[in-house]
Amino acid sequence: MHEIQGIGWHTIAKAMQASVMDCVSYSEANWKQLGIKSAQSQALARTLSPAFAEERADHYRRLGVRVITWLDDDYPRWLRHIPQPPWVLYAKGRIELLEGPMLAVVGTRVPTAYGRHMARELSSQLAARGLSIVSGLARGIDRCAHEAALQEPGGTIAVLGTPLDIAYPREHSSLQHRIAQEGLVLSEYPVGTACHPGMFPVRNRIIAGLSLGTLVIEAASRSGSLITADQALDMGREVFALPGPANSPKSTGTNEYIRDLKAKLTLSVDDILAELAVRLMETSAFKPSPAPGPQPPTLTAEESRIYELLQDEPATADVLHAKTGMSFGHLHAVLINLTIKRKIEQHPGSIYCAL
């Protein structure tokens, strides 16, 4: 029913309430008796058959796509009871991630160096402790969260606003493929569905619904990320927000949510884990990993000095030269080493920022 054109969520709900899901041979009149409109009843009577169902099943087997319905035992527990849960999910990758605890990480598509650094840091640490990081594979914070979590035991889940055969944005095609192999990619849209902009906001309810809570990193006052946060609140889930500079437009929304007590102030993963402790214990598949121990220093004294200066504020090589007294040749060598070690990055205008 989900894959027949013109059949929407409410039509399937009527069939569910009438307990007709075991029958695929209803006549047009039978469907009309359920209160389903004439055009939809005609489409159902014309299309539904055991042959049609088998054809679709073979199609997805060939694509390596797993189809999960609301009636299946492995349908995600926390998603089942949200308003208008997706009747069908199409999945590629590690289905077992749906059994464990999940946390959504969302934020701006154009983050600052601070936002990128914190998204990677928090996502990596949460996934290292056993939580799967859920996000929407968008530019910016979403991408940082996915990439960081992918390397950890908890892994990552990408919820698409497109069917599984389309990557959006296109530059995330390789990342989407990697997540499908090492993490999990989900969509409620059948393969081959034509895309339109309205599909992306709709999928946000799945991101919030899968997760025990939602962490927002850098969101302006009218950011789409706050729509996901509001949906999480409506579902009775926790919302966490990373504070940002008072004068940063990119943190206006997160700071307001903290001020208005809509979101928990989050400075570290421990703030999140403490709030979710009870729900985590209710998740049978959750096996908390120990907090990672202290890492050996990887920076030289000079690299640490430059890194600390850039953590305070971005700076050019001229400013760093004035503050440290290093020769330009030696300073540039240190900056190159820090860039290779992914501690800093260079922005237009030869401005260096800490990650």
Side-chain angles (χ1 to χ4, degrees):
M1 292 181 72
H2 178 70
E3 299 204 353
I4 297 175
Q5 188 172 4
I7 304 299
W9 191 93
H10 293 286
T11 301
I12 298 176
K14 289 178 181 178
M16 288 284 291
Q17 291 164 4
S19 300
V20 300
M21 301 310 289
D22 291 333
C23 181
V24 291
S25 58
Y26 267 39
S27 67
E28 180 181 341
N30 293 139
W31 290 112
K32 285 182 177 178
Q33 287 175 358
L34 299 180
I36 294 174
K37 294 178 181 178
S38 179
Q40 295 169 318
S41 295
Q42 289 175 13
L44 289 166
R46 182 175 60 250
T47 308
L48 283 186
S49 68
F52 174 76
E54 188 57 36
E55 174 199 335
R56 299 308 295 162
D58 285 342
H59 176 63
Y60 287 114
R61 277 195 289 269
R62 289 194 299 270
L63 294 175
V65 173
R66 173 75 176 276
V67 180
I68 305 170
T69 78
W70 191 88
L71 296 168
D72 295 329
D73 291 337
D74 51 3
Y75 190 91
R77 170 189 173 189
W78 292 98
L79 189 62
R80 188 178 291 278
H81 303 292
I82 71 169
Q84 293 198 12
W87 294 120
V88 181
L89 290 170
Y90 302 88
K92 242 185 176 182
R94 297 170 56 197
I95 300 294
E96 68 273 13
L97 292 181
L98 296 175
E99 299 174 7
M102 294 164 260
L103 187 95
V105 177
V106 297
T108 179
R109 286 169 170 73
V110 190
T112 64
Y114 162 73
R116 288 193 297 274
H117 171 73
M118 293 305 296
R120 292 178 183 129
E121 189 81 4
L122 293 173
S123 298
S124 175
Q125 291 179 14
L126 287 163
R129 303 286 283 274
L131 282 86
S132 297
I133 299 302
V134 182
S135 199
L137 202 65
R139 297 182 179 95
I141 295 299
D142 287 21
R143 176 164 191 149
C144 293
H146 286 308
E147 289 177 333
L150 197 54
Q151 306 171 46
E152 303 296 344
T156 192
I157 300 171
V159 182
L160 307 185
T162 64
L164 296 181
D165 57 328
I166 295 177
Y168 185 87
R170 289 184 180 179
E171 65 263 27
H172 287 184
S173 177
S174 60
L175 178 58
Q176 180 172 321
H177 178 70
R178 186 181 168 201
I179 294 174
Q181 291 183 316
E182 303 173 33
L184 180 65
V185 179
L186 287 179
S187 174
E188 68 174 319
Y189 302 113
V191 170
T193 301
C195 296
H196 58 83
M199 295 163 71
F200 291 90
V202 172
R203 65 85 191 268
N204 290 348
R205 81 191 194 288
I206 301 177
I207 295 175
L210 284 170
S211 309
L212 299 177
T214 295
L215 169 63
V216 188
I217 298 176
E218 288 198 323
S221 289
R222 298 183 181 274
S223 169
S225 303
L226 298 181
I227 297 174
T228 307
D230 286 338
Q231 290 174 328
L233 289 171
D234 291 341
M235 296 171 190
R237 313 294 169 83
E238 300 290 347
V239 173
F240 306 92
L242 181 76
N247 62 350
S248 171
K250 294 185 185 299
S251 291
T252 304
T254 47
N255 290 343
E256 287 174 348
Y257 266 52
I258 294 169
R259 180 198 65 196
D260 297 340
L261 303 180
K262 290 183 175 181
K264 306 289 193 307
L265 174 69
T266 302
L267 301 177
S268 71
V269 296
D270 291 332
D271 295 327
I272 295 172
L273 295 175
E275 286 290 336
L276 296 180
V278 174
R279 284 184 173 177
L280 286 172
M281 291 303 104
E282 292 173 352
T283 307
S284 59
F286 180 57
K287 297 178 181 178
S289 303
Q295 299 297 313
T298 58
L299 304 182
T300 67
E302 291 173 329
E303 289 170 351
S304 295
R305 185 181 179 192
I306 296 296
Y307 182 56
E308 288 172 3
L309 288 172
L310 292 176
Q311 282 184 308
D312 290 335
E313 60 178 347
T316 63
D318 288 336
V319 171
L320 294 171
H321 166 69
K323 288 184 175 181
T324 63
M326 290 184 189
S327 67
F328 275 109
H330 184 53
L331 175 60
H332 280 293
V334 171
L335 291 170
I336 290 171
N337 287 340
L338 286 170
T339 303
I340 293 172
K341 293 178 180 179
R342 295 187 60 79
K343 304 299 287 186
I344 67 171
E345 64 183 8
Q346 185 177 2
H347 288 199
S350 295
I351 297 173
Y352 293 89
C353 297
L355 292 174

